[in-house]
Amino acid sequence: MNIKRALISVSDKTGIVEFAKELEKRGVEVISTGGTAHLLSESGINVKQVSDVTGFPEILGGRVKTLHPFIFGGILANFDEKSHIQDLERHNITPIDMVVVNLYPFEEIQKQTRDEDVLIENIDIGGVALLRASAKNHRNVVVVCDPADYEKIIKSLDLCGDVQLHDRRILALKAFYYTMKYDATIHRVLSELFASEKFEHMTFERFSNPHVDYEVLDKVDDKLIKLSEHTSESLAITLGAIVVSLDHSLIVGFNDSTPTSMVNIRNSGGRLCDLTGTTVVLRRLTNDIARKLKESTFKTIACEEIEDIDFARESLKNKKIITYSYLKSLDNLENIKTASMLENILLRTTVNVSNAPQLLLSLMPKYSIIAELEDGFFKFEVDLLSPTEALEKILEKTPVKIINVYVNGPVDTVFKKMCGENGINIFTI
């Protein structure tokens, strides 16, 4: 049996008593903290308090419990390094072979309150450090952050007396992903809370991937755009501001962070009727445009200039108005770093910004199509399997002639034939 000592400290106590009992049956010494130690002890499990290991009591109302060399030295020691083993022996530090930790429920707390003091007290410090340390040293320490893994681990211990390296790696990846999402939630919530202090840090949030709630990639725009206030629509506004810099006549609509509609107002004769979404980005908010957006679906209006701020506020009093400015000239910018999703992995992508559809398609799912109509409007369509299907949908719904189609995936002969028959130019990225 290679697992001899386990540190357990959990907020979500689902299944923890049963898991700890199974570990104890197999001769594993259990170390724990606070409420977890109390629960396990009451359940008849022989538990050693962390304070007994460190020789130092919990302080600052529990803020400092596990942050001690006797704990982290036991977790971070690499047994392939002789100097590490010597350090353990010299300082009488006993190795810890398994860390079972989940974090303060910040996600649940933020749904209940926006009280800053309550939120701050529910930001886990020691738990994150324990997870990262054990995940980093996963060859020597099994890291467990998900109660769903308890049963699998016990079966593995019974099978071979250990947790195999492949499984240790998967558990480590899960721990890194767990702490990443935890920090992303804190970042999002506190950004919204501190908006009154003009938080200007640019954040890209992606909601379009069905496999994840969201991911955050920091500084992907290299701070090209400054917003008058931080909002959950930062991605849409930042991307839209870059789009309209390519052509000041463009107005683009988004649902969350996904582009859904666009019009060249110069070619449309001022019509905005087909624009849809929750956030709209344009260069100049004129009084005429403000009147037309009054009854629209848009909840947020973002612009660089406003013709009459008082008129705009009165006309759009039920909508949020945000202004943006350019921190550097985009005139000679050949490409921009953007964010895209692949499963649970967020990728940095460098995109050529020669035209607006190409830039928008870089942040849309594969096989998305943007069709440019002769009346100045652009139609957006997504089909996760085939661009041909997406094109058919646009043709069925669009009586106006299509001039160009832009697509971010490979096209087949049927697609090319349909475009040829309808006199449509094809541009792929």
Side-chain angles (χ1 to χ4, degrees):
M1 183 74 175
N2 290 334
I3 308 299
K4 298 180 176 64
R5 205 163 181 243
L7 171 61
I8 302 177
S9 181
V10 293
S11 291
D12 179 1
K13 295 177 172 57
T14 304
I16 195 60
V17 171
E18 294 78 10
F19 184 51
K21 284 182 177 179
E22 294 298 325
L23 291 176
E24 188 179 44
K25 284 179 187 178
R26 289 155 181 81
V28 179
E29 179 187 14
V30 175
I31 308 165
S32 193
T33 63
T36 304
H38 181 71
L39 172 64
L40 297 181
S41 180
E42 278 195 335
S43 303
I45 299 167
N46 186 20
V47 181
K48 179 179 282 189
Q49 288 275 359
V50 163
S51 57
D52 293 332
V53 175
T54 63
F56 202 92
E58 295 182 10
I59 62 172
L60 306 182
R63 281 191 172 190
V64 178
K65 302 182 277 219
T66 58
L67 298 168
H68 192 281
F70 279 3
I71 298 299
F72 280 86
I75 292 172
L76 284 166
N78 180 358
F79 299 125
D80 291 330
E81 293 286 341
K82 288 185 178 180
S83 63
H84 287 204
I85 297 173
Q86 291 169 355
D87 282 341
L88 294 182
E89 293 173 349
R90 184 181 302 115
H91 298 288
N92 295 315
I93 298 174
T94 305
I96 294 172
D97 309 300
M98 178 181 291
V99 170
V100 185
V101 169
N102 52 59
L103 308 175
Y104 294 165
F106 186 89
E107 175 68 36
E108 297 306 314
I109 297 299
Q110 65 91 19
K111 294 176 183 177
Q112 303 166 18
T113 183
R114 279 297 187 266
D115 184 290
E116 182 178 347
D117 291 336
V118 174
L119 291 171
I120 294 298
E121 284 306 312
N122 280 278
I123 296 176
D124 205 313
I125 304 299
V128 174
L130 288 168
L131 288 175
R132 289 183 63 82
S134 49
K136 174 178 179 175
N137 197 29
H138 61 269
R139 287 179 177 271
N140 298 285
V141 182
V142 178
V143 57
V144 188
C145 63
D146 186 355
D149 292 319
Y150 295 164
E151 183 179 354
K152 179 181 179 180
I153 289 169
I154 294 299
K155 288 181 178 178
S156 181
L157 294 179
D158 288 342
L159 180 66
C160 64
D162 202 347
V163 177
Q164 296 180 355
L165 180 57
H166 175 268
D167 291 331
R168 287 171 178 252
R169 287 169 170 163
I170 296 300
L171 291 168
L173 287 174
K174 180 179 284 191
F176 283 127
Y177 184 65
Y178 177 43
T179 58
M180 183 270 290
K181 289 193 71 175
Y182 190 78
D183 285 338
T185 301
I186 294 169
H187 178 274
R188 173 177 58 82
V189 172
L190 295 187
S191 293
E192 294 170 358
L193 186 68
F194 300 157
S196 60
E197 299 180 22
K198 296 188 181 301
F199 181 85
E200 297 171 354
H201 197 59
M202 289 294 99
T203 298
F204 272 31
E205 293 182 346
R206 296 289 289 150
F207 292 88
S208 62
N209 191 285
H211 299 293
V212 291
D213 296 326
Y214 66 86
E215 299 291 348
V216 175
L217 179 62
D218 185 37
K219 293 183 178 177
V220 281
D221 69 332
D222 291 333
K223 287 206 167 187
L224 295 173
I225 311 297
K226 177 181 177 180
L227 307 186
S228 59
E229 63 179 89
H230 176 78
T231 80
S232 59
E233 297 86 19
S234 290
L235 169 58
I237 297 171
T238 301
L239 180 59
I242 297 169
V243 168
V244 302
S245 74
L246 299 173
D247 186 337
H248 293 169
S249 298
L250 291 175
I251 302 176
V252 58
F254 297 83
N255 273 327
D256 292 325
S257 60
T258 303
T260 54
S261 60
M262 188 165 64
V263 64
N264 185 317
I265 197 167
R266 180 182 62 247
N267 297 340
S268 73
R271 291 189 305 112
L272 303 179
C273 55
D274 286 347
L275 277 180
T276 59
T278 57
T279 301
V280 64
V281 185
L282 63 157
R283 181 176 179 272
R284 188 165 190 264
L285 181 61
T286 65
N287 293 347
D288 179 55
I289 292 176
R291 279 191 293 267
K292 292 174 180 176
L293 292 175
K294 182 177 181 180
E295 303 299 327
S296 69
T297 61
F298 297 109
K299 298 177 181 178
T300 300
I301 316 294
C303 58
E304 183 184 9
E305 300 176 6
I306 302 176
E307 180 180 352
D308 186 331
I309 184 64
D310 294 329
F311 181 86
R313 285 175 176 165
E314 177 59 29
S315 300
L316 304 169
K317 55 187 174 183
N318 295 323
K319 304 179 188 296
K320 182 191 296 184
I321 300 176
I322 293 177
T323 58
Y324 61 82
S325 57
Y326 300 95
L327 296 180
K328 62 178 76 172
S329 173
L330 303 185
D331 293 341
N332 299 316
L333 193 67
E334 294 182 354
N335 55 60
I336 179 174
K337 292 177 182 177
T338 63
S340 58
M341 297 293 298
L342 177 63
E343 294 292 333
N344 289 334
I345 303 170
L346 193 141
L347 305 173
R348 292 174 185 264
T349 307
T350 301
V351 180
N352 186 288
V353 292
S354 59
N355 62 67
Q358 185 176 33
L359 179 58
L360 292 171
L361 282 170
S362 71
L363 284 176
M364 295 176 69
K366 192 175 182 180
Y367 299 132
S368 297
I369 284 183
I370 299 178
E372 182 179 358
L373 312 185
E374 65 178 1
D375 64 356
F377 283 90
F378 294 77
K379 294 292 183 180
F380 293 64
E381 192 67 55
V382 177
D383 190 294
L384 298 178
L385 298 177
S386 167
T388 303
E389 297 289 337
L391 179 59
E392 286 179 347
K393 293 174 185 176
I394 292 179
L395 289 171
E396 289 173 1
K397 295 185 294 185
T398 307
V400 180
K401 178 175 174 53
I402 300 173
I403 304 172
N404 303 312
V405 292
Y406 303 84
V407 58
N408 62 2
V411 297
D412 56 22
T413 55
V414 176
F415 186 97
K416 294 175 181 177
K417 182 179 179 183
M418 291 170 60
C419 289
E421 291 173 346
N422 289 276
I424 303 171
N425 300 310
I426 304 171
F427 298 90
T428 60
I429 66 168

